């Protein structure tokens, strides 16, 4: 009766024991602090049950930071192992697990939630809406992501980590070559989080289509909203493919089906195709919102309207369309033939054109502008050259014959770190410094911010620039150690120094956050940077209902025009009386439902069918009970609005 | 009648069908259409997998040996009819006639149950003959594609039962009308998917 995974439930190893102890200590201290300060009720009422898009966004960002820490630790472990030849810091198996979790966590549980968090915070405000279209669903998205990430991370201490790479190629990831629960964690953790991502995509799309303030036509939307719209469409078409791929592999592993197996007629290439039909658009799901942030930040800190708005929109659409036509470039060397490779090579190179358009537009936006070099702006500025280096090496990789040389080498690793760190992460930092006052009502310290920026930027290049060289010198990815005398040692040491430099730089951001909570410059105007879009038209942080009056829009850069435009008279709100504002109620159900999902999927990971079934039953119970809930909304009274507005949004 | 007390759910435009009459209803119906788009992608991937693998029988039974024409034709008729009766229920809803609406609703649920019952017995028969999910890639992809559709239908039945309870409890309101309308979109969508399964899986399997 005892399931066969039961005997290796607990993983042994010195780092695992350290992790066990740290997890227990951290849990005890969190529980202790919450109990000591009597904050349980506050945590539940204000945060865990909230349906407010701004708080949901903040929780996304918090969780993503925790994942950034975990993924970063994985990265540092790898770089420690590779610092010198013939190193024995990590074993081969352990190294496999670490690079698998590093890649998976950084892309799915760090980059994407970080961006979804920023979208949640800023997008509804930018379109002058009071909320997203489906606030309750938004909470479900957050908690399924959160518990999906938790499930994935649990593998480290219970049952063992996945070790087949973040791409989880079959048949390596199949039951024969990856026995044990590790790979199941990957499949079910990603699938749970993926549900939340798909729901977010639907939510954002409907929000942008239906909930823009009066007068905000599509071609008047801020560029960040445009990038969210296109990203949402990519999510809606790409994520079901991931769901199918993960579910099929789960069937192979749990129920002995033969979709991706080597025997009984299965076809491992099916996995590679499905994975990358999702995987390549995923690259743009994590880069397009960063493009959007860049457009906002550069416009604001140049004091100019965005150059080439329509071209920016057009290039977003072109990139999104092309992103679905290029997936085969991930396996040029798998024998698809010259015609197929040529098609996918050329379609990949085409993406450079709309991307180039965007880069020139950002540069022209700064041209003759009054550029202010705030930390947020510095991150955006650094984005441009790093992204160009990453993009050009990407075009080099897209040359199919040459790819036979670069394939699986460190050249590729350098390329995608320039895209994902130099692109997405720089964009995220830019967005965090930019919207921090809107989220928390105070600015981050500029001096500490610039330390963070310069240290990180230099260390980043120190880490990944040598990788191009190492790749050309023949060092391949996924190798856990190498012999001396190949000429790789110095560059590897340099990279390790750079990696720790990035970790060190992140401490400046942490110190900055803590320092700024106490001493940071408070933003009393709501308009911390002399901004252009509507999120700056309300207080910082914005009240629950965002805008007491829904704003009217007469052009692009709505808030800028209201402040400085020719016909700003049009914008001055006549002293209309407040009316009660309709808002959704908080609910604990999304949280509990995600817990039920978590329990169920944990059961699936260990093939404990009873646990899996009961968990699913609980999920359906929560859906059913929601359907019968009638008391889902409330009104904020005029007195309360008056009180909030006179207090400048701060209660 | 909690629904009617709530001004948020109060009709904003009486000239449109009831389910579209509130802002909330319009948002949710659009959101559901977008979800359907995502579900189409999901089924497309499963169809692609089936098409790629359907000849990989690995010495096991083939589609031609397995499929039984009267069986899958009856399944098809049950599901098509249920889609029609579901349409009749929505038609009665738009004429504000609760009793006939509930009647057609129940007929739809029963037909759906008949479909699922037949599918379960079909699967059981195959498994009894040793043609189970582990036998070959063809059978794996068959069971997963058709089973995913069957799971969708099963969820749809429970969903419709919950709407039935709400119809009996609250009558036809803007909220129940919207919920009924959304599940009817879902039901017609499953019907459309089945047409593809009927053609790509069963008919082609018999003809090849
Ligand atoms: Cu790609």
């Amino acid at each position: 009766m005892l399931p066969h995974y039961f005997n290796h439930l607990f993983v042994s190893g010195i780092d695992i024991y350290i992790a066990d102890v740290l997890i227990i200590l951290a849990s005890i201290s969190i529980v202790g602090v919450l109990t000591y300060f009597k904050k349980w009720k506050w945590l539940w009422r204000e945060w865990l049950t909230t349906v407010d898009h701004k708080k949901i966004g903040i929780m996304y960002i918090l969780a993503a930071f925790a994942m950034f820490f975990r993924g970063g630790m994985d990265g540092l472990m790898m770089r420690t192992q590779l610092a010198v030849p013939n190193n024995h810091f990590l074993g081969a198996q352990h190294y496999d697990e670490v690079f698998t979790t590093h890649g998976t966590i950084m892309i799915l549980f760090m980059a994407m939630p970080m961006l979804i968090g920023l979208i949640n915070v800023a997008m509804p405000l930018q379109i002058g809406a009071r909320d997203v279209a489906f606030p309750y669903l938004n909470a479900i998205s957050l908690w399924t992501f959160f518990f999906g990430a938790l499930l994935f991370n649990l593998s480290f201490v219970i049952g063992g980590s996945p070790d087949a790479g973040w791409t989880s190629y079959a048949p390596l990831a199949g039951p024969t070559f990856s026995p044990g629960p590790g790979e199941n964690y990957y499949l079910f953790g990603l699938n749970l989080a993926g549900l939340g991502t798909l729901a977010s995509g639907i939510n954002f799309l409907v929000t942008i289509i239906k909930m823009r303030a009066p007068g905000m036509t599509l071609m008047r939307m801020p560029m960040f909203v445009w990038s969210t719209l296109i990203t949402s469409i990519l999510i809606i078409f790409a994520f079901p493919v991931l769901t199918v791929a993960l579910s099929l592999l789960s069937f192979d592993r749990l129920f002995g089906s033969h979709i991706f197996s080597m025997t009984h007629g299965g076809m491992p290439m099916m996995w590679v195709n499905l994975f990358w039909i999702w995987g390549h658009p995923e690259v743009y799901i994590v880069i397009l919102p960063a493009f959007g942030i860049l457009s906002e930040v550069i416009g604001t800190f140049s004091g100019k309207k965005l150059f080439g708005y329509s071209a920016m929109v057009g290039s977003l659409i072109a990139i999104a369309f092309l992103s679905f036509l290029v997936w085969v470039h991930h396996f040029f060397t798998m024998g698809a033939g010259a015609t197929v490779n040529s098609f996918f090579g050329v379609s990949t190179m085409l993406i450079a054109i709309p991307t180039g358009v965007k880069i020139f537009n950002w540069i022209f936006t700064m041209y003759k502008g009054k550029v202010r070099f705030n930390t947020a702006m510095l991150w955006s500025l650094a984005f441009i050259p790093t992204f160009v280096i990453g993009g050009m090496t990407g075009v080099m990789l897209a040359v199919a014959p040459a790819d036979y040389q670069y394939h699986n080498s460190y050249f590729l690793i350098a390329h995608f770190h320039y895209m994902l760190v130099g692109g997405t992460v720089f964009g995220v930092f830019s967005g965090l410094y930019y919207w921090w006052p809107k989220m928390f009502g105070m600015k981050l310290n500029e001096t500490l911010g610039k330390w963070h920026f310069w240290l990180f930027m230099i260390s980043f290049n120190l880490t990944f620039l040598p990788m191009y060289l190492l790749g050309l010198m023949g060092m391949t990815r996924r190798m856990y150690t190498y012999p001396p005398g190949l000429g790789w040692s110095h560059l590897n040491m340099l990279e390790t120094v750079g990696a720790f430099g990035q970790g060190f730089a992140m401490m400046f951001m942490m110190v900055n956050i803590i320092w700024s909570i106490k001493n940071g410059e408070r933003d009393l105007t709501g308009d911390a940077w002399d901004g252009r879009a509507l999120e700056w038209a309300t207080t910082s942080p914005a009240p629950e209902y965002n805008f007491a009056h829904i704003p009217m829009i007469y052009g692009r850069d709505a808030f800028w025009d209201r402040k400085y435009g020719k016909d700003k008279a049009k914008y001055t709100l006549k002293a209309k009386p407040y009316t009660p504002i309709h808002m959704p109620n908080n609910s604990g159900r999304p949280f509990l439902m995600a817990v039920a999902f978590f329990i169920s999927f944990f059961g699936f990971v260990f093939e404990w069918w009873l646990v899996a079934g009961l968990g699913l039953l609980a999920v359906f119970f929560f859906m059913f009970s929601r359907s019968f809930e009638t008391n889902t909304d409330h009104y904020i009274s005029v007195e309360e609005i008056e009180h909030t507005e006179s207090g400048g949004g701060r209660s | 009648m909690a629904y009617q007390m709530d001004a948020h759910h109060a009709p904003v435009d009486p000239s449109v069908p009831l389910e579209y009459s509130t802002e909330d209803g319009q948002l949710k119906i659009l959101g559901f259409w977008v979800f359907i788009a995502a579900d189409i992608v999901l089924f497309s991937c499963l169809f692609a997998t089936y098409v790629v693998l359907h000849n990989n029988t690995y010495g096991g039974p083939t589609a031609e040996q397995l499929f039984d024409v009267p069986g899958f034709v009856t399944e098809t008729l049950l599901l098509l009819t249920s889609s029609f009766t579901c349409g009749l229920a929505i038609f009665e809803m738009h004429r504000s006639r609760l009793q006939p609406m509930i009647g057609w609703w129940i007929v739809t649920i029963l037909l759906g149950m008949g479909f699922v019952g037949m599918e379960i017995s079909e699967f059981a028969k195959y498994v009894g003959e040793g043609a189970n999910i582990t036998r070959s890639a063809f059978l794996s992809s068959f069971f997963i594609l058709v089973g995913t559709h069957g799971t969708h239908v099963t969820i749809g039945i429970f969903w419709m039962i919950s709407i039935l309870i709400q119809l009996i409890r609250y009558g036809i309101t803007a909220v129940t009308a919207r919920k009924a309308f959304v599940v009817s979109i879902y039901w017609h969508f499953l019907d459309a998917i089945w047409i593809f399964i009927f053609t790509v899986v069963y008919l082609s399997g018999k003809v090849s």
Side-chain angles (χ1 to χ4, degrees), chain A residues 62-72 105-106 109-110 113 145 149-150 152-153:
Chain A
L62 271 178
F65 260 113
M67 290 295 99
F68 200 10
F69 182 76
R70 160 80 209 263
I105 285 175
M106 283 306 204
F109 298 128
M110 190 284 284
F145 145 68
L150 196 65
F152 185 86
N153 277 277

Side-chain angles (χ1 to χ4, degrees), chain A residues 276 279-281 283-284 326-327 329-330 348:
Chain A
W276 286 113
H280 194 83
V283 171
Y284 292 93
V326 302
W327 79 93
H329 68 211
H330 293 269
T348 303

